[in-house]
Amino acid sequence: MEPLETLNETEWDVVIAGTGIQQSLLALALSRSEKRILHVDKNDYYGGAEAALSLQEAESWVQSVQKDNSTVLFTDAKIEQAPNVDEEDGPKLGFSRAYSLALAPQLIYTESKLLGHLVSSKVYRQLEFLAMGNWWVYTTDTSTTNSLQSTSEQEHKNGKLVKVPTTREDVVFSDKSVDLRSKRAVMKVLRFLMDYEQQTELWEPYSMQPLPTFLTEKFKLPTSLHNLFLALTLSPDTPANTTTAYALSRIARHLRSTGRLGAGFSSVIPKWGGLSELAQVSCRAGAVGGAVYVLGKGIAGSPTPAPTKENVSTPLNAIQLDGGDAVNTAWIVGSEADLPRSPTNLSPTRTCSRSISIISGPLTSLIHEALAEGATPSTTPIGGTVIVFPSGSLNGFADTPPVYLIVHSDAMGECPRGQSVIYASTSGKQEINALAVDCLLRQVAAEPVPKVLWTMQYEQHAGSWQEDEAVEHEGVITMKPSSLDLVFDENILSEVESAWKKVLGDDAGTFLTFEDRNSVGDDDDGDEA
Amino acid sequence: MADAGASPAPKPSSSVKLVLLGEAAVGKSSLVMRFVNNDFQENKEPTIGAAFLTQKCNLPTRTIKFEIWDTAGQERFASLAPMYYRNAQAALVVYDITKSTSLTKAQHWVAELQRQASPGIVIALVGNKLDLASPSSSSADDADGGDGGDEEADEGDARKVPTKTAKAYAEEEGLLFFETSAKTGERVAEVFTAIANAIPETQLKGPRGAAGGQRQEESRVNLGAAKDASAKEGCAC
Ligand SMILES: Nc1nc2c(ncn2[C@@H]2O[C@H](COP(=O)(O)OP(=O)(O)OP(=O)(O)O)[C@@H](O)[C@H]2O)c(=O)[nH]1
Ligand SMILES: [Mg+2]
């Protein structure tokens, strides 16, 4: 292949716009095809809405969100640095590059199809996954603590953290003082959930009703225990707005995933920045396959049909890149945010208030304490924990949505040794994230008391653009913007698969299934792309 | 060198992510090919995008598995390298001793790595194509005394970058320094062994950067276990 001096007037089979998780997985899926692929991103970093940033990158990211609204999916970003970080002996922030903070952290359940694809495509060899251990729910209701008490609960005058039981053992081995009737009710719900799909007659009448109604009427589960199950839904909404159908499928997924890849956990996260790392590993595979990568260059103008050439049957799209390069391509694939659209056409459907806090201490007691039976920190690679602050638990108003804290230890490689990172998110106001983080730090029995060294707050929006005639035409494949879910969105896989099929047509083969490119000490010279 | 022979007691093993950077045609891929396959090609194709290879390196007390990312020198848009040196524990910055501009390019790479890569990254500066220099100009112990230091005096000597110059620069920046020939294999294995030795034990597989860590290879979730596990029921309820 000739060295490329400029992109202007080049011709491609596929131009992929954006390096978010969807586009990166597509690049991976196409990495063994013979297609000529140009992969561009308007940002000068990889990962799009799933990027992981150093402190310096986070600062420029905040500036770009504040300045221009090219990043319509993010707004209201700001960074606060604790004033005491300059103190002589106080805890300090590390180097900018010692951090890799994920804009949109997501859990990958062990039953996710994604993990199978990562194995069959062989890219899992370049990733390291750590598990999310116990889940905790903050409870202010004393009756809960009396009825189902965790042995390792951490008391506080206003409330305490209770471990969420997900297995029979969790329930049986919980505190002796537990009221047997409650235990039995919890067990009954857990057993039902393992094959709830088969018991439609029981729950279908409730599918559009709130989960608490179902739990009360069908299982006589005391109200004080509802939060244990609501926590596992990771629902952004209040209990009254969390339907039984939605909740059951999500809790069941959690339970089915528990113990699948090891004792004591149900979900995993890639080290070094979560989905951002996965996006980069996928792009690398694309590059090894010969794709050309250009950062800091987006699609500048709407694609237009290019004049068809003689002897060429495939329709061509002509597109303008930032900086004026004109390229032709058979296919152009991007997320809605990466194809040129007017921001005013965006209608946000949901908003998530997020914050990322760097904590001066390790929070070990939460992350490693009371692992499941048979699991120890040395046999189970735990990198974090999930802490749920149910609706109203922080301020007493039942219409305040829950706050979810995903705590990452230093083992995740996102902060220097001895520190930790708390990712907070809520569909409520930004302030309750801060309340939750504060409350958590007060719960941790550690000396010295861990402090927040640095926080970044922002709002992320999910929405859809109005159909844009100028953009939608043959050869243009539009992917949805990233979801706000705290769990990896399985729909991404079908979206990527359908784009991959469109591009490759009949000789597509098996989705994301490849041989190793070379093995250790291989004899054949498999070193060329 | 990287002998994968069976040893009686398994040594602790860790992986090291290594990235090769440098101008086009300086011999990055050839160095890797020499290290991994003990082979050399006279007319090697330029690398497109990047290539990924692995090779083990046995040290007396441990085994290092190199995960090698060989980048394309002709990558015009400079968009790939950051992805490769992110989280890399080692970098091999290569220049061609017969081409002065390639050392300048190497110095740019070193500066970028120092600015952008993990703070603890081990960097080796490697002057390749040593076989094209005459032995007198190559000797590492040349005090530049010799016979007047006349460059054109040596007929078969294509060397343009004096050892002294590159070595002084490497020392100043705290880099490992080697001159190699991928063609003859001279000193190629030493480069990788030196890198393996230069990576502090605490750095292996720990959180990235200066922070280090002491996690072993096995302390990560094994996705390969997924298939077997899925056959059984997930939960004990
Ligand atoms: N004489 C001699 N030639 C070498 C040596 N190493 C590489 N070459 C030759 O130099 C040319 C370029 O080598 P490559 O290994 O492809 O260089 P590269 O740095 O990987 O180049 P890019 O992939 O384009 O960045 C090939 O023709 C090699 O045969 C060496 O040590 N001595
Ligand atoms: Mg090469």
Coordinates of all heavy atoms in Angstrom, one line a residue, chain B residues 22-31 40-47 70-74 128-132 180-184, ligand 1:
Chain B
G22 N 9.2 4.6 15.9 CA 10.3 5.1 15.2 C 9.9 5.3 13.7 O 8.9 4.9 13.2
E23 N 10.8 6.1 13.0 CA 10.6 6.4 11.6 C 10.4 5.2 10.8 O 10.8 4.1 11.1 CB 11.8 7.2 11.1 CG 11.5 8.0 9.9 CD 12.7 8.9 9.5 OE1 13.7 8.4 8.9 OE2 12.7 10.0 9.9
A24 N 9.8 5.4 9.6 CA 9.5 4.3 8.7 C 10.9 3.7 8.3 O 11.9 4.4 8.1 CB 8.8 4.8 7.5
A25 N 10.9 2.3 8.1 CA 12.0 1.6 7.5 C 13.3 1.6 8.4 O 14.4 1.2 7.9 CB 12.4 2.1 6.1
V26 N 13.2 1.9 9.6 CA 14.4 1.9 10.5 C 14.7 0.4 10.9 O 15.8 0.1 11.4 CB 14.3 2.8 11.7 CG1 14.3 4.2 11.3 CG2 13.1 2.4 12.6
G27 N 13.6 -0.4 10.8 CA 13.8 -1.9 11.1 C 13.1 -2.3 12.4 O 13.5 -3.3 13.0
K28 N 12.0 -1.7 12.7 CA 11.2 -2.1 13.9 C 10.7 -3.5 13.7 O 10.9 -4.3 14.6 CB 10.0 -1.1 14.1 CG 10.4 0.3 14.4 CD 9.2 1.2 14.6 CE 8.4 1.4 13.3 NZ 9.1 2.1 12.2
S29 N 10.0 -3.7 12.6 CA 9.4 -5.0 12.4 C 10.5 -6.1 12.2 O 10.4 -7.2 12.7 CB 8.6 -5.1 11.1 OG 7.6 -4.1 11.2
S30 N 11.7 -5.7 11.7 CA 12.8 -6.7 11.5 C 13.3 -7.0 12.9 O 13.7 -8.2 13.1 CB 13.9 -6.0 10.7 OG 13.3 -5.7 9.4
L31 N 13.4 -6.1 13.8 CA 13.9 -6.4 15.1 C 12.9 -7.4 15.8 O 13.4 -8.3 16.5 CB 14.0 -5.1 16.0 CG 15.2 -4.2 15.7 CD1 15.0 -2.8 16.3 CD2 16.5 -4.8 16.2
F40 N 15.1 -13.0 9.4 CA 15.3 -11.7 8.8 C 14.9 -11.7 7.3 O 15.1 -12.7 6.6 CB 16.7 -11.3 8.9 CG 17.0 -9.9 8.3 CD1 16.6 -8.8 8.9 CD2 17.6 -9.8 7.0 CE1 16.9 -7.5 8.3 CE2 17.9 -8.6 6.4 CZ 17.5 -7.4 7.1
Q41 N 14.2 -10.7 6.9 CA 13.8 -10.5 5.5 C 14.5 -9.3 4.9 O 14.4 -8.2 5.4 CB 12.3 -10.3 5.3 CG 11.5 -11.6 5.3 CD 10.0 -11.4 5.2 OE1 9.6 -10.3 5.0 NE2 9.3 -12.4 5.5
E42 N 15.2 -9.5 3.7 CA 15.9 -8.5 3.1 C 15.0 -7.3 2.7 O 15.3 -6.1 2.9 CB 16.7 -9.0 1.9 CG 17.9 -8.2 1.5 CD 19.0 -8.1 2.6 OE1 19.5 -9.2 3.1 OE2 19.2 -7.0 3.1
N43 N 13.9 -7.6 2.1 CA 12.9 -6.6 1.7 C 11.6 -6.7 2.4 O 10.6 -7.2 1.9 CB 12.8 -6.6 0.2 CG 14.0 -6.1 -0.5 OD1 14.4 -4.9 -0.3 ND2 14.6 -6.9 -1.4
K44 N 11.6 -6.1 3.6 CA 10.4 -6.3 4.4 C 9.4 -5.2 4.0 O 9.8 -4.0 3.8 CB 10.8 -6.1 5.8 CG 9.7 -6.5 6.8 CD 10.2 -7.3 8.0 CE 9.1 -7.7 8.9 NZ 7.9 -8.3 8.2
E45 N 8.1 -5.6 3.9 CA 7.1 -4.7 3.6 C 6.9 -3.7 4.7 O 7.0 -4.1 5.9 CB 5.8 -5.4 3.4 CG 5.7 -6.4 2.3 CD 5.1 -5.7 1.1 OE1 3.9 -5.4 1.1 OE2 5.8 -5.5 0.1
P46 N 6.6 -2.4 4.4 CA 6.2 -1.5 5.5 C 5.0 -2.0 6.2 O 4.1 -2.6 5.7 CB 5.9 -0.2 4.7 CG 6.3 -0.4 3.4 CD 6.4 -1.8 3.1
T47 N 5.0 -1.8 7.5 CA 3.8 -2.2 8.3 C 2.7 -1.2 8.1 O 2.8 0.0 7.9 CB 4.2 -2.1 9.8 OG1 5.4 -2.9 10.0 CG2 3.1 -2.6 10.7
D70 N 3.9 -3.5 17.3 CA 4.8 -2.9 16.3 C 4.0 -1.9 15.5 O 3.1 -2.3 14.7 CB 5.4 -4.1 15.5 CG 6.2 -3.6 14.3 OD1 6.7 -2.4 14.3 OD2 6.4 -4.4 13.4
T71 N 4.4 -0.6 15.6 CA 3.6 0.4 14.9 C 4.2 0.7 13.5 O 5.3 0.3 13.2 CB 3.5 1.7 15.7 OG1 4.8 2.2 15.8 CG2 2.9 1.4 17.1
A72 N 3.4 1.4 12.7 CA 3.8 1.7 11.4 C 4.5 3.1 11.4 O 3.9 4.1 11.8 CB 2.7 1.8 10.4
G73 N 5.8 3.1 10.9 CA 6.5 4.4 10.9 C 5.9 5.4 10.0 O 6.0 6.6 10.2
Q74 N 5.2 4.9 9.0 CA 4.7 5.8 8.0 C 3.2 6.2 8.4 O 2.6 6.8 7.5 CB 4.7 5.1 6.6 CG 3.7 4.0 6.5 CD 3.7 3.4 5.1 OE1 2.7 2.9 4.7 NE2 4.8 3.5 4.4
N128 N 19.6 0.9 14.9 CA 19.6 -0.4 14.2 C 20.4 -0.3 12.9 O 20.8 0.8 12.5 CB 18.1 -0.8 13.9 CG 18.0 -2.2 13.3 OD1 18.7 -3.1 13.8 ND2 17.2 -2.4 12.3
K129 N 20.6 -1.4 12.3 CA 21.4 -1.6 11.0 C 22.9 -1.4 11.3 O 23.6 -0.9 10.5 CB 20.9 -0.6 9.9 CG 19.4 -0.7 9.7 CD 19.0 -0.2 8.3 CE 17.5 -0.2 8.2 NZ 16.9 0.3 7.0
L130 N 23.3 -1.9 12.4 CA 24.7 -1.9 12.8 C 25.6 -2.6 11.8 O 26.8 -2.2 11.7 CB 24.8 -2.5 14.2 CG 26.2 -2.5 14.9 CD1 26.6 -1.0 15.1 CD2 26.1 -3.1 16.3
D131 N 25.1 -3.6 11.1 CA 25.9 -4.3 10.1 C 26.3 -3.4 9.0 O 27.3 -3.7 8.3 CB 25.1 -5.5 9.6 CG 23.7 -5.0 9.0 OD1 22.8 -4.7 9.8 OD2 23.6 -4.9 7.7
L132 N 25.7 -2.2 8.8 CA 26.1 -1.3 7.7 C 27.2 -0.4 8.1 O 27.8 0.3 7.3 CB 24.9 -0.5 7.2 CG 23.7 -1.3 6.7 CD1 22.6 -0.4 6.3 CD2 24.2 -2.1 5.5
T180 N 22.1 -2.2 17.3 CA 21.7 -3.6 17.0 C 21.8 -3.8 15.5 O 21.8 -2.9 14.7 CB 20.3 -3.9 17.4 OG1 19.4 -3.0 16.7 CG2 20.0 -3.8 18.9
S181 N 21.8 -5.1 15.1 CA 21.5 -5.4 13.7 C 20.4 -6.5 13.7 O 20.7 -7.6 14.1 CB 22.8 -5.9 13.0 OG 22.4 -6.4 11.7
A182 N 19.3 -6.1 13.1 CA 18.3 -7.1 13.0 C 18.7 -8.2 11.9 O 18.3 -9.3 11.9 CB 17.0 -6.5 12.5
K183 N 19.6 -7.7 11.0 CA 20.0 -8.6 9.9 C 20.9 -9.7 10.5 O 20.7 -10.9 10.2 CB 20.8 -7.8 8.9 CG 21.2 -8.5 7.7 CD 21.8 -7.6 6.6 CE 22.2 -8.4 5.4 NZ 22.6 -7.5 4.3
T184 N 21.9 -9.3 11.3 CA 22.8 -10.4 11.8 C 22.4 -10.9 13.1 O 22.8 -11.9 13.6 CB 24.2 -9.8 12.0 OG1 24.2 -8.8 13.0 CG2 24.8 -9.2 10.7
Ligands
LIG1 N1 21.2 -4.0 6.6 C1 20.1 -4.0 7.4 N2 18.9 -3.8 6.9 C2 17.9 -3.9 7.8 C3 18.0 -4.1 9.2 N3 16.8 -4.1 9.8 C4 15.9 -3.9 8.8 N4 16.5 -3.8 7.6 C5 15.9 -3.5 6.3 O1 15.3 -2.3 6.4 C6 14.0 -2.3 5.7 C7 12.9 -1.8 6.6 O2 12.8 -2.7 7.7 P1 11.4 -2.9 8.5 O3 11.7 -3.8 9.6 O4 10.3 -3.1 7.6 O5 11.3 -1.4 9.1 P2 10.1 -0.8 10.0 O6 10.7 0.1 10.9 O7 9.3 -1.9 10.5 O8 9.3 0.0 8.9 P3 7.8 0.5 8.9 O9 6.9 -0.7 9.2 O10 7.5 1.1 7.6 O11 7.7 1.5 10.0 C8 13.8 -3.7 5.2 O12 14.2 -3.8 3.9 C9 14.8 -4.5 6.1 O13 15.2 -5.7 5.4 C10 19.4 -4.3 9.7 O14 19.6 -4.5 10.8 N5 20.4 -4.2 8.7

